[in-house]
C-alpha cells in the first residue's frame, strides 16, 4: 500500500463503482483566477485541498467546483470522494 496513491488493488479485488460522487458540504464559488491548488494529507485523516478545485465524476460531469475540499483516504466515507469523518469512527490509521 502506498496511500493516497493507487496500487491497483481495486483490480485484484474486482472492485466496481459507478463513479457517482457525493455532495460536498464545503462548496464555495471559485474566484475568477483562484490560488494554486495545495493538497495536504492530515495525520490519520483526509486530504485537505485548498485553492482552485474541480472534481468530476466518471460521467464527466462536474460535481464540485470551489476553493476547499476534504477527500476521504480511509475508503469508508458514505459520501465519497469527500470525507464524512468515518476515519475517526473506524480508527483508521494511515500508517497501516
Amino acid at each position: 500500500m502506498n496511500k493516497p496513491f493507487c496500487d491497483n488493488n481495486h483490480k485484484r479485488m474486482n472492485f466496481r463503482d459507478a463513479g457517482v460522487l457525493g455532495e460536498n458540504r464545503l462548496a464555495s464559488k471559485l474566484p475568477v483566477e483562484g490560488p494554486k491548488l495545495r493538497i495536504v494529507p492530515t495525520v490519520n485523516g483526509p486530504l485537505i485541498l485548498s485553492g482552485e478545485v474541480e472534481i468530476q465524476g466518471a460521467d464527466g460531469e462536474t460535481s464540485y467546483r470551489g476553493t476547499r475540499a476534504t477527500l476521504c483516504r480511509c475508503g469508508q466515507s458514505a459520501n465519497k470522494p469527500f470525507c464524512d469523518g468515518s476515519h475517526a469512527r473506524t480508527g483508521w490509521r494511515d500508517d497501516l
Side-chain angles (χ1 to χ4, degrees), residues 11-64:
K11 291 180 180 180
R12 288 186 292 278
M13 297 175 63
N14 205 24
F15 174 80
R16 298 284 183 259
D17 185 81
V20 177
L21 300 179
E23 174 187 339
N24 188 342
R25 294 176 185 91
L26 297 175
S28 62
K29 292 183 179 178
L30 275 177
V32 174
E33 190 173 317
K36 189 178 267 190
L37 178 62
R38 183 170 181 227
I39 303 171
V40 177
T42 62
V43 176
N44 301 323
L47 293 174
I48 305 293
L49 281 60
S50 60
E52 195 167 326
V53 178
E54 181 174 299
I55 298 175
Q56 295 181 349
D59 58 3
E61 293 294 317
T62 297
S63 121
Y64 170 74

Side-chain angles (χ1 to χ4, degrees), residues 72-80 82 84 86-87 89-90 92:
C72 175
R73 289 197 303 150
C74 74
Q76 302 299 313
S77 175
N79 193 33
K80 290 182 186 97
F82 306 105
D84 69 359
S86 292
H87 60 278
R89 289 189 301 277
T90 63
W92 180 81

